[in-house]
Each structure stands twice: as C-alpha cells, then as structure tokens.
Amino acid sequence: MAASLRELRQRRKSVAATMKITRAMELIASSRVVKAQQAAARALPFTRELNRAVSAVAEYSRLDHPLTRHGAQVKRVAILFITSDRGMNGAYSSNVIKTVARMVQRLREEGKEPVRYIVGRKGISYVSFRGLPIEESWEGFSDSPTYDRAIEIADRLVDDFLKPTDEGGVDEIWAVYTRMESMISQSPRVRRVLPLEVVEGVRDVSQTDLVPLYGFEPDPETVLDNLLPLYVRSRIWFYLLQSAASQLASQQRAMKSATDNAQQLIERLTREANQARQAEITQEISEIVGGAGALAEQD
C-alpha cells in the first residue's frame, strides 16, 4: 500500500506541475489573441479597398497584363499554405494540411503539378518526413508575422508566376490559410491569388447605384504595374494575420482543455490517494489490535 500511495502522490505532483504550464500558456495565448485579432481587423479595410481598386483597373482598362493573364493550359500550380511553428494548438495545423492534401489530390487528377510553398515548421516537417518536394519555406514567425515577411513571400510568388513553366515557373497561385470566425471556430480557406480574378472586390451595382467612371494617370498599364505587387503583398499579409489569430485562438482553447483535464485528473488522483491512505491506516489499526489481542491472550 505504501508504494501505491507514494506512486499516486508522485503522479499528482507531476500533473499539477503540468497544469501550471498549460494554465500559463492559456493566459499568454488569451492575451496575445486579442492583439492578433485587432491587427487582422485593421488590415481588412485596406486589403478590401485595394482589391476593389485593382479589380476596377483590370476590369475597365481591359489590359492584357501578365498578372491577370490566364494561361491556355495550366501545368504547374503553386500552393502556399500556412501552418504553425509549434504544437499544442489543437487541430490548427492538421486541418490546413488535410485541406492541402485534398487539393493536391484534385490537382493531380486534373493532370496538374502541385508546387509547395510552406509557412511554419509543422507543415515543413510533415512534407519533409514524406519526402515530398518543397519549392520554398519560411518559419519562425507563424504567431507574430511582420509585413516584411509578407513582402518576402509575395515577391517570391510573383517572380515564380512571371517565369515560364519550363524554367520553374507556375501558372496559378493558391493560398490555404485559416480564417478566424470566432474564438471557438477557425476554418481553413482556399483562395486564388494569381492570376487576378477581376470580379473579386467589385461591388454589386443595384438599381440605385451609379456606375463609376474611372480615369487612370499616367495610364492604366502603369497603374497596374504599381498596384498588382502591392495587391499580392496585402493579400499574403492578410492571410498571415488571420492565420496567426486563428493559431493563438486554437492554442488558447487547447490549453484550456488541457488545464481542465489536468484538474479533473488531480481530483481523481487525490481521491485515490485518500482511499489508499485510509486503507493503509485501517491496515495499521488492524495490526495493532491484533497484536494487542495476542498479548492479552498470553497474559
């Protein structure tokens, strides 16, 4: 009994130490997710208006720009997917990886070659472990992205999009990220980045709306040349911010669940330890009473 009681106490002490860690991580994630949500909310209006501006130029100018041109045959498709650098955030990374796996399967069935661009160590480890090729990867900033990182990623994607496919270029660019619906719900999203879909971001014109007349200076082509790289950067920046907020929310929820489970385990171990201690005391009392009775019989 003594060994069992000692083991129960050691397990309870170990679980209590783990609970302190999960509780601390829960509080940290709770404080950081608010800032991440605010950053994503601040980026949304600029991204939306830039989408509308770029779409308007492409729609009304009717230019055949390289970043809006659809290839006659799509051979290579870039997939940028955003995962986390660390674990303990529930199914955040695995949901993105599953979405990408389904997308890769569909592309292969259509006779297209998927080209992987990965953000986050979890995605890099998953792909590397299976021996799959990685075109480019970035890590170390999944929960705290910066605009400089977004520029780095976007410029690399645009460069590869402008290359011919026989020189390592791609015909389309898709992004898989996690959109934060609420603190409870975060869902993976698949969005095409390039070639630009001119219908995206253009507001619906109702009967009471007036169709705007656009003028472009110095000319539509120059405007597109300056706006399109900025458009891609803002899209990638928005995806990084949304993914960071989703990651922290998922981590906060996972750590809260782990803390609650640890608390329940501690309570169960405490009950078992008390029962073991009571059994031990009962055994000791029985031995004392038995010894006293034996002495009384001898006397």
Side-chain angles (χ1 to χ4, degrees):
M1 276 297 184
S4 177
L5 178 60
R6 187 183 307 113
E7 180 183 352
L8 289 171
R9 286 174 173 172
Q10 289 175 349
R11 288 185 59 191
R12 184 175 61 183
K13 183 179 180 181
S14 176
V15 174
T18 302
M19 188 179 71
K20 290 181 180 179
I21 296 174
T22 58
R23 178 59 177 165
M25 294 183 66
E26 176 192 349
L27 294 174
I28 293 172
S30 298
S31 63
R32 295 183 61 191
V33 71
V34 175
K35 296 180 180 179
Q37 281 182 293
Q38 293 173 348
R42 287 194 299 268
L44 180 59
F46 175 77
T47 302
R48 183 186 293 119
E49 292 303 319
L50 185 59
N51 291 351
R52 292 180 60 184
V54 172
S55 297
V57 177
E59 174 69 17
Y60 290 98
S61 65
R62 301 294 181 181
L63 286 175
D64 184 22
H65 195 277
L67 296 185
T68 62
R69 186 182 304 141
H70 294 259
Q73 183 179 3
V74 178
K75 298 180 180 179
R76 305 182 81 232
V77 177
I79 305 175
L80 170 70
F81 58 101
I82 305 171
T83 61
S84 63
D85 288 315
R86 291 182 291 272
M88 295 187 288
N89 45 37
Y92 167 77
S93 294
S94 61
N95 287 339
V96 173
I97 291 172
K98 290 176 183 177
T99 303
V100 173
R102 290 192 295 268
M103 186 175 180
V104 167
Q105 182 180 359
R106 178 178 58 81
L107 290 174
R108 286 175 174 168
E109 290 173 353
E110 296 173 355
K112 302 173 184 177
E113 178 188 354
V115 184
R116 298 173 181 84
Y117 297 78
I118 309 174
V119 176
R121 296 190 185 99
K122 287 296 180 180
I124 297 171
S125 299
Y126 175 86
V127 175
S128 300
F129 179 76
R130 286 156 180 77
L132 302 173
I134 300 175
E135 189 70 18
E136 185 61 87
S137 62
W138 299 268
E139 59 182 84
F141 57 89
S142 65
D143 58 349
S144 55
T146 62
Y147 190 66
D148 290 339
R149 289 290 195 174
I151 292 175
E152 180 183 347
I153 297 170
D155 290 353
R156 172 60 193 271
L157 291 172
V158 170
D159 289 344
D160 288 354
F161 182 77
L162 296 176
K163 288 181 184 178
T165 54
D166 55 358
E167 297 179 8
V170 296
D171 298 306
E172 289 182 354
I173 297 175
W174 292 78
V176 181
Y177 72 105
T178 305
R179 184 177 180 85
M180 184 171 179
E181 309 292 347
S182 65
M183 287 295 296
I184 300 175
S185 175
Q186 300 88 38
S187 57
R189 297 292 184 89
V190 180
R191 294 289 183 267
R192 192 176 77 179
V193 181
L194 290 175
L196 173 68
E197 296 177 287
V198 296
V199 296
E200 181 178 340
V202 178
R203 66 184 173 91
D204 296 330
V205 179
S206 64
Q207 296 179 352
T208 59
D209 290 331
L210 296 177
V211 179
L213 299 177
Y214 290 94
F216 307 107
E217 294 183 0
D219 56 75
E221 186 173 3
T222 303
V223 173
L224 270 183
D225 286 340
N226 287 274
L227 279 183
L228 280 173
L230 186 61
Y231 159 82
V232 177
R233 292 172 181 177
S234 70
R235 290 285 294 269
I236 301 301
W237 174 232
F238 179 71
Y239 297 156
L240 290 175
L241 291 175
Q242 280 287 326
S243 296
S246 299
Q247 177 185 339
L248 291 169
S250 181
Q251 184 182 61
Q252 187 270 340
R253 192 171 65 253
M255 291 300 98
K256 185 180 187 306
S257 177
T259 302
D260 293 342
N261 291 337
Q263 182 62 42
Q264 294 175 5
L265 183 56
I266 288 174
E267 292 174 358
R268 182 173 65 82
L269 290 173
T270 300
R271 287 195 301 269
E272 293 179 1
N274 291 338
Q275 292 172 359
R277 178 58 179 161
Q278 290 171 0
E280 186 179 77
I281 293 172
T282 302
Q283 180 67 24
E284 292 176 355
I285 293 174
S286 298
E287 292 174 356
I288 293 172
V289 171
L295 289 176
E297 290 177 0
Q298 289 179 359
D299 294 341

